[in-house]
Amino acid sequence: MKIITWNCNGAFRNKYKTLNKFDVDILIIQECENPMLTNDLLYKDFAKNYLWIGDNKNKGLGIFAKEGIQLKRLQWSNQYKDHFVKYFLPCRVNNEFDLLAVWTHKNNSPNFGYIGQLWKYLQVNKINLGNTIIIGDFNSNSIWDEWDRWWNHSDVVNELKEFKIESFYHYFFNELQGKESKPTFYFQRKFEKPYHIDYIFGTEELLKKMIKFEIGVFLTGLK
C-alpha cells in the first residue's frame, strides 16, 4: 500500500492530477477543499472515496483513497476539557489498521498551539492507540522545544514511544529528531528556509512492513 501526505496549500482541485503518476492508495491532504461543497465536477469525481473535516469549505483536512479501499470514520474525541482541538481525522482502513490524519493548528491558543494541540488530542485518545498510523502536517520540530513545557515536540515523541509508536522517517534514515537532513517544508517557498514538520508515525507492526520511504523534492512551479 502506498500512502502520501501533502499540505497542498489550498486549491487542491487544481493540483490533484500532479499526484496521478504516483498511483497512490491513500492520500492525506492538508488545506484541501471539501469535495461535497465544490463546484468543480472533476474534483468531485476524483473524490469518490474520501473523508474530510474543516471549518472552512476551502481549506480542511482530507483523506482520499482508491475505490475498493474501505475508510470507516472513527468517533475519537477532539474535546479536551472545555474546548476542541484541531484538526484530527481518524479512520479504520480495510478493517486492518487505524489511520489518524493530522493538520495541527494554532487554534487561538497562546500556549497549546500546533504540537500542543496534538498533545491534548493524545491525552483523550490514548485508549484508542492500537495498530495505528499517525500522519500529516504537525507544524512542529524538536528544534522549537521550550524547556518549561511538557507538551514539546520531544515530549510527544517520547509519549508515543510508550505505545511503541515510532517515526517512520527517523527509523528508515536512522536520523535523530531535530537532526533531519531532508526537509518537508520551505518557509515562504524559499529554498534557503527548509524545515522538517511533516511526519508519519506508526506501530512496530506497521514499521516492519515499510518497504520504501521518500520525501518529495522542492518544486517552484506549484503555488
Side-chain angles (χ1 to χ4, degrees):
M1 178 175 285
K2 185 181 294 185
I3 303 175
I4 285 180
T5 178
W6 181 35
N7 187 321
C8 69
N9 194 31
F12 186 53
R13 67 188 183 280
N14 299 325
K15 301 173 181 177
Y16 69 88
K17 291 181 182 178
T18 63
L19 301 176
N20 288 345
K21 61 183 177 182
F22 296 109
D23 189 29
V24 183
D25 295 291
I26 299 177
L27 291 168
I28 292 84
I29 306 295
Q30 302 85 36
E31 299 196 33
C32 63
E33 303 93 330
N34 184 347
M36 182 179 293
L37 301 178
T38 185
N39 293 322
D40 190 312
L41 297 181
L42 291 177
Y43 178 53
K44 190 181 290 286
D45 184 65
F46 156 79
K48 292 178 179 177
N49 186 18
Y50 77 96
L51 301 172
W52 187 95
I53 58 169
D55 299 321
N56 182 331
K57 69 175 183 178
N58 296 314
K59 281 193 174 184
L61 173 63
I63 302 173
F64 303 86
K66 284 182 176 179
E67 292 187 75
I69 293 178
Q70 183 185 36
L71 300 177
K72 180 183 178 182
R73 186 162 180 169
L74 299 172
Q75 300 305 313
W76 294 9
S77 176
N78 66 340
Q79 182 173 356
Y80 181 86
K81 295 185 178 179
D82 61 347
H83 59 279
F84 296 93
V85 295
K86 63 182 183 182
Y87 290 112
F88 304 97
L89 180 54
C91 70
R92 184 77 174 162
V93 179
N94 287 342
N95 203 32
E96 295 176 359
F97 63 91
D98 294 338
L99 186 152
L100 173 61
V102 173
W103 177 29
T104 64
H105 270 243
K106 183 71 174 176
N107 202 18
N108 296 319
S109 176
N111 296 315
F112 284 88
Y114 304 117
I115 195 63
Q117 296 287 290
L118 177 56
W119 181 87
K120 286 184 174 182
Y121 188 83
L122 292 176
Q123 304 318 299
V124 296
N125 287 291
K126 287 181 180 179
I127 193 172
N128 295 318
L129 294 178
N131 195 30
T132 308
I133 287 179
I134 304 172
I135 178 171
D137 183 356
F138 288 32
N139 280 304
S140 179
N141 191 289
S142 63
I143 61 174
W144 297 310
D145 282 354
E146 295 186 35
W147 68 270
D148 59 343
R149 293 183 178 179
W150 63 89
W151 59 94
N152 282 331
H153 183 94
S154 295
D155 295 316
V156 169
V157 170
N158 290 332
E159 194 156 356
L160 289 173
K161 283 182 179 179
E162 294 177 10
F163 293 89
K164 297 184 178 180
I165 294 176
E166 303 273 355
S167 166
F168 282 28
Y169 171 90
H170 296 86
Y171 176 87
F172 190 82
F173 292 105
N174 193 28
E175 294 182 358
L176 298 175
Q177 292 281 340
K179 302 293 184 179
E180 298 85 4
S181 63
K182 298 173 178 57
T184 66
F185 171 71
Y186 294 86
F187 184 61
Q188 297 175 335
R189 302 192 186 95
K190 294 182 178 179
F191 189 73
E192 64 273 18
K193 294 183 177 182
Y195 297 99
H196 192 106
I197 62 173
D198 304 87
Y199 302 88
I200 302 176
F201 283 79
T203 57
E204 183 178 358
E205 178 182 342
L206 294 168
L207 198 63
K208 288 180 178 179
K209 294 180 179 179
M210 178 172 53
I211 299 172
K212 191 174 184 181
F213 192 107
E214 291 183 284
I215 301 291
V217 297
F218 180 73
L219 296 175
T220 58
L222 290 178
K223 295 183 178 181

